[in-house]
């Protein structure tokens, strides 16, 4: 096995794969170490069968019990195929009452392709305002529920602008493979690389009508209009990756986009879009089922990457450049574990005590309702329509909000019995498996009536918005709980700021209005099931939407950031962190496309160095 590479990348998701794709094509030797397995779609296997089971978050094995000495010890859970066993590698979070609970929330998927294998594929750009929230909020006296002035104290502008990242948005959209529409988006496009979207599902007409009402009633200027949600799913043959779409376009439509691997390879995860095209290159290697345990340094260089191979044997590789892209919580954990056993590494990575601080997710939530008629939602993708009206400066100032967000509908909500089973009464990844088990009223005729009233009729509208960065929201190493290798696990310490709660309630009202006025444009008299923000959930502190961001923010001031503007750790010459950790604010949209665009940007910088 080779041990010397130009670049060693830890993680194969949105933060690592664009760098590998770029550098391998430029002739550099690249190794990716991935903790999870390599699962291939049908067209890549000789027998024509997919490695995906369509039940990635479910297990057909026996129930297990949490064994760690935490508040939910003894709670039953099932292991999934691509998430860690809670007993092997839990994340621990602290509830408001001080109880500590074990969870797998915060793992975006341990599999080649990372979270892009299982995400809903929503691939929105951030808005230009998302890059300059410190400047936008300077001197404002109208912010609601911010008594201590935390917005103006804690907000940071990005060290790069939208215009600087825009060419890399274009590159990512071209190479990843995304369908959608650019007109009506409130972001400048220098080039439109979207493939045409499929016909929207009939039930989505309510969302479109409601968004048109919302856009007209939340702006002082000309109405903001909805557009087709950009989704990382190809609808036409995709030349950069060599993928072909089926001759029958109906095959593309599937309610199993969100939370499932795509057996056809149509969802543009980083394996099929960016890594498969380089997989057979002599200067590229990917090693699945390999767990990196620590980094070692000599002076300002990371000299060794230590990992366990699939047999559990410790091995070492070296790279001129080392990229950490494990998803933010695990990246922070890896850097902190590396610092435990190496005082020099500790001094350099903790030069200003900011590593792990300003951990971010997203303010998110929405509204849901049962529509008046039923649609066949097995023929749908995950989101048909989106709108940017809640991201305009006019809207934010009228509501006293510090930052905006995107709103889009979830077409596949309650599409089929199995999608009901993964959402009914579940509150996080750990309880998805419970489904109907704890709702003992759903038996016999009650179950038949429940299915008849809900399948194909449920529609939800979601928002995704910036969370206020707080230094107290952080990732630590837990002092007592260890993983199966004896290493301290990640300890998630976070709260929702009062302004976050106000922001979520405000945008949830907008989502509810989309449903109310989508059915009743004349007066919004339609009754919805409910609306709200994630902070209202029983385990709202753990709910992080798998948008794992911050903790190693980049910036232009070495005293105020962990990484420089090119995501290099300030006191290391060759250590970069390129997953969502680098973000100083979480953005008003789903983060994957921005992580990919920034990684393409970093790749160009690395080419100058190698």
């Amino acid at each position: 096995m080779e041990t010397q590479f130009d670049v060693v990348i830890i993680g194969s998701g949105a933060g690592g794969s664009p760098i590998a794709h770029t550098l391998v094509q430029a002739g550099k030797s690249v190794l990716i170490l991935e903790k999870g397995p390599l699962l291939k779609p049908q067209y890549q296997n000789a027998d024509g069968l997919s490695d995906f089971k369509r039940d990635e978050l479910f297990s057909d094995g026996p129930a297990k019990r949490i064994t760690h000495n935490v508040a939910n010890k003894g709670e039953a859970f099932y292991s999934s195929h691509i998430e860690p066993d809670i007993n092997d590698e839990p994340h621990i979070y602290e509830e408001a009452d001080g109880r500590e609970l074990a969870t797998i929330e915060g793992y975006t998927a341990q599999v080649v392709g990372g979270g892009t294998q299982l995400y809903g594929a929503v691939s929105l750009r951030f808005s230009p305002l998302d890059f300059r929230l410190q400047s936008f909020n300077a001197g404002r006296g109208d912010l609601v529920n911010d008594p201590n002035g935390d917005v103006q104290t804690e907000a940071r502008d990005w060290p790069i602008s939208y215009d600087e990242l825009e060419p890399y948005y274009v590159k990512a959209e071209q190479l990843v493979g995304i369908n959608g529409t650019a007109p009506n988006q409130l972001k400048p496009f220098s080039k439109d690389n979207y493939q045409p979207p499929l016909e929207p599902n009939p039930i989505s007409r309510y969302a479109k009508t409601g968004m048109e009402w919302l856009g007209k009633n939340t702006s002082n200027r000309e109405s903001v209009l909805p557009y087709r949600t950009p989704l990382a799913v190809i609808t036409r043959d995709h030349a950069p990756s060599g993928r072909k779409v089926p001759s029958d376009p109906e095959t593309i439509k599937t309610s199993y986009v969100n939370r499932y691997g795509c057996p056809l390879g149509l969802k543009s995860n980083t394996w099929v879009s960016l890594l498969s095209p380089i997989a057979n290159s002599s200067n590229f290697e990917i090693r699945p089922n390999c767990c990196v345990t620590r980094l070692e340094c000599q002076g300002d260089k990371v000299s060794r990457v230590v990992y366990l191979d699939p047999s559990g044997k410790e091995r070492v590789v070296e790279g001129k450049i080392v990229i950490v892209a494990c998803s933010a919580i695990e990246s922070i954990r890896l850097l902190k574990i590396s610092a435990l056993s190496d005082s020099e590494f500790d001094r350099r990575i903790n030069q200003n005590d900011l590593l792990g601080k300003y951990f971010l997710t997203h303010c998110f939530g929405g509204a849901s309702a049962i529509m008046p008629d039923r649609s066949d939602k097995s023929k749908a993708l995950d989101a048909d329509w989106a709108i940017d009206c809640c991201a305009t400066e006019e809207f934010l100032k009228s509501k006293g909000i510090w930052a905006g967000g995107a709103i889009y509908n979830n077409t596949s909500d309650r599409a089929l019995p199995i999608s009901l089973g993964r959402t009914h009464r579940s509150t996080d990844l750990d309880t998805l498996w419970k489904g109907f088990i704890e709702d003992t009223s759903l038996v016999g005729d009650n179950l038949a009536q429940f299915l008849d009233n809900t399948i194909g009729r449920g529609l939800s509208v979601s928002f995704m918005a910036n969370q206020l960065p707080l230094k107290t929201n952080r990732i630590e190493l837990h002092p007592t709980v260890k993983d199966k290798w004896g290493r301290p696990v990640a300890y998630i310490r976070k709260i929702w700021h009062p302004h976050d709660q106000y922001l979520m309630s405000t945008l949830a009202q907008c989502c509810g209005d989309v449903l109310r006025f989508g059915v009743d444009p004349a007066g919004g008299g339609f009754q919805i099931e409910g609306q709200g923000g994630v902070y209202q959930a029983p385990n709202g502190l753990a709910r992080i939407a798998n948008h794992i961001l911050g903790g190693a923010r980049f910036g232009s001031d070495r005293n105020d950031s962990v990484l420089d503007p090119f995501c290099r750790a300030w006191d290391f010459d060759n250590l970069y962190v390129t997953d969502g950790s680098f973000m100083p604010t979480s953005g008003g949209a789903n983060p994957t496309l921005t992580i990919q665009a920034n990684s393409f940007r970093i790749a160009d910088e690395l080419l100058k160095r190698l």
Side-chain angles (χ1 to χ4, degrees):
M1 298 175 65
E2 293 291 331
T3 60
Q4 305 281 335
F5 297 88
D6 289 325
V7 180
V8 175
I9 301 174
I10 306 165
S12 59
S17 293
I19 295 174
H21 182 90
T22 302
L23 299 186
V24 168
Q25 290 191 325
K28 309 305 178 185
S29 61
V30 176
L31 169 69
I32 288 182
L33 295 170
E34 169 57 50
K35 200 174 199 178
L38 171 57
L39 302 179
K40 295 181 179 180
Q42 293 174 356
Y43 72 91
Q44 292 182 343
N45 284 329
D47 58 10
L49 299 177
S50 168
D51 294 329
F52 291 101
K53 299 175 180 287
R54 286 293 203 196
D55 60 351
E56 276 73 45
L57 286 182
F58 295 87
S59 175
D60 49 13
K64 299 181 179 181
R65 299 280 172 177
I66 294 176
T67 58
H68 295 286
N69 189 26
V70 289
N72 55 345
K73 181 177 182 179
E75 178 76 14
F77 71 94
Y78 287 102
S79 295
S80 79
H81 306 295
I82 46 72
E83 301 284 2
D85 185 309
I86 300 179
N87 287 328
D88 287 347
E89 255 187 307
H91 286 157
I92 306 297
Y93 72 96
E94 184 182 45
E95 275 285 22
D97 59 9
R99 294 180 306 140
E100 293 181 352
L101 295 94
T103 179
I104 58 168
E105 280 282 334
Y107 282 102
T108 53
Q110 292 183 353
V111 62
V112 174
T116 65
Q117 288 281 19
L118 302 189
Y119 73 150
V122 174
S123 297
L124 294 157
R125 296 181 176 194
F126 286 179
S127 73
L129 184 59
D130 286 325
F131 294 78
R132 52 181 185 87
L133 289 172
Q134 182 181 30
S135 300
F136 172 69
N137 286 288
R140 288 183 65 183
D142 61 332
L143 293 167
V144 177
N145 287 1
D146 185 26
N148 298 319
D150 292 322
V151 168
Q152 295 177 12
T153 301
E154 302 288 23
R156 295 293 185 274
D157 289 346
W158 288 36
I160 60 172
S161 66
Y162 176 91
D163 289 342
E164 290 175 90
L165 195 60
E166 201 278 337
Y168 296 101
Y169 274 134
V170 170
K171 186 172 185 178
E173 288 157 350
Q174 177 188 22
L175 294 180
V176 169
I178 295 172
N179 80 80
T181 56
N184 297 334
Q185 291 196 48
L186 301 185
K187 307 123 188 173
F189 278 71
S190 63
K191 186 176 183 181
D192 183 353
N193 281 320
Y194 290 144
Q195 294 188 344
L198 303 175
E199 287 298 314
N201 190 270
I203 202 169
S204 296
R205 69 187 186 277
Y206 295 112
K208 181 175 185 288
T209 299
M211 288 178 188
E212 289 170 342
W213 178 92
L214 186 69
K216 182 178 180 181
N217 286 274
T218 55
S219 177
N220 296 324
R221 54 182 175 176
E222 186 178 349
S223 294
V224 179
L225 296 172
Y227 53 88
R228 293 300 304 278
T229 310
L231 296 174
V233 180
I234 59 170
T235 59
R236 300 288 189 272
D237 291 350
H238 185 245
S241 65
R243 286 177 290 157
K244 305 287 186 181
V245 298
S247 57
D248 177 9
E250 293 298 308
T251 308
I252 303 172
K253 297 181 179 180
T254 168
S255 293
Y256 294 102
V257 168
N258 193 15
R259 282 291 169 204
Y260 295 92
C262 178
L264 301 181
L266 303 177
K267 180 159 65 171
S268 298
N269 64 73
T270 57
W271 164 249
V272 295
S273 62
L274 299 177
L275 298 182
S276 289
I278 62 172
N280 294 324
S281 302
S282 60
N283 56 327
F284 176 66
E285 185 179 354
I286 183 166
R287 297 178 186 172
N289 300 303
C290 291
C291 176
V292 176
T293 58
R294 68 184 185 277
L295 308 178
E296 298 177 355
C297 73
Q298 290 184 347
D300 66 352
K301 295 186 182 297
V302 173
S303 55
R304 290 166 29 114
V305 178
V306 183
Y307 71 97
L308 302 176
D309 72 11
S311 72
K313 181 178 179 179
E314 185 172 277
R315 296 185 179 275
V316 174
V317 291
E318 299 176 5
K320 297 175 184 176
I321 300 290
V322 175
I323 308 290
V324 176
C326 316
S327 186
I329 293 176
E330 286 299 294
S331 289
I332 300 306
R333 179 184 173 218
L334 174 61
L335 294 173
K336 283 181 171 288
I337 287 175
S338 301
L340 283 179
S341 57
D342 187 334
S343 59
E344 179 69 7
F345 195 99
D346 182 19
R347 183 182 70 81
R348 290 182 179 279
I349 200 64
N350 289 307
Q351 55 94 12
N352 56 16
D353 194 37
L354 285 179
L355 180 66
K357 308 298 196 309
Y358 296 101
F359 171 62
L360 293 163
T361 57
H362 266 124
C363 290
F364 69 105
S368 62
I370 300 296
M371 294 294 104
D373 51 89
R374 190 188 316 276
S375 299
D376 181 1
K377 297 201 297 180
S378 67
K379 296 180 179 179
L381 294 176
D382 193 51
D384 281 324
W385 295 98
I387 191 166
D388 292 341
C389 60
C390 293
T392 67
E393 293 190 15
E394 299 98 316
F395 175 80
L396 302 183
K397 291 179 179 178
S398 71
K399 300 295 184 181
I401 293 175
W402 85 292
I407 287 178
Y408 55 89
N409 72 287
N410 295 305
T411 309
S412 64
D413 190 39
R414 305 186 215 190
L416 297 168
I418 195 168
S419 63
L420 277 173
R422 76 172 193 246
T423 57
H424 180 63
R425 299 194 71 173
S426 65
T427 55
D428 59 21
L429 290 177
D430 308 326
T431 59
L432 284 177
W433 67 271
K434 292 183 178 180
F436 298 97
I437 292 175
E438 292 190 348
D439 192 347
T440 56
S441 66
L442 292 184
V443 294
D445 290 343
N446 286 343
L447 176 60
Q449 184 178 12
F450 174 80
L451 296 174
D452 187 55
N453 288 340
T454 54
I455 291 178
R457 294 181 60 194
L459 185 64
S460 60
V461 177
S462 299
F463 66 84
M464 202 64 61
N466 281 274
Q467 179 187 3
L468 178 60
L470 294 174
K471 191 174 184 179
T472 52
N473 283 348
R474 61 199 187 277
I475 302 300
E476 298 177 347
L477 297 179
H478 197 276
T480 60
V481 180
K482 302 292 194 293
D483 65 17
K484 66 179 179 180
W485 297 289
R487 305 179 304 162
V489 302
Y491 192 17
I492 303 168
R493 315 292 295 276
K494 69 187 288 281
I495 63 168
W496 292 110
H497 189 277
H499 188 77
D500 291 333
Q501 297 178 22
Y502 168 70
L503 183 155
M504 285 187 258
S505 296
T506 302
L507 293 190
Q509 177 67 39
C510 292
C511 292
D513 286 343
V514 168
L515 294 171
R516 281 183 281 264
F517 288 93
V519 176
D520 179 18
F526 175 69
Q527 294 297 308
I528 68 173
E529 288 183 306
Q531 65 188 39
V534 67
Y535 75 94
Q536 297 169 297
N539 63 340
L541 296 181
R543 293 299 305 280
I544 46 187
N546 282 330
H547 296 175
I548 317 302
L549 310 167
R553 68 185 184 192
F554 73 161
S556 299
D557 181 354
R558 61 174 286 109
N559 296 313
D560 192 46
S561 55
V562 178
L563 310 173
D564 75 8
F566 287 104
C567 294
R568 180 182 62 84
W570 279 105
D571 280 1
F572 282 97
D573 176 67
N574 67 336
L575 175 61
Y576 293 76
V577 183
T578 59
D579 54 30
S581 309
F582 79 90
M583 294 188 182
T585 51
S586 53
N590 306 53
T592 301
L593 181 68
T594 299
I595 295 172
Q596 291 168 329
N598 184 64
S599 293
F600 278 119
R601 182 181 74 94
I602 301 307
D604 278 357
E605 174 67 13
L606 294 178
L607 284 177
K608 300 175 185 177
R609 296 198 56 188
L610 291 169

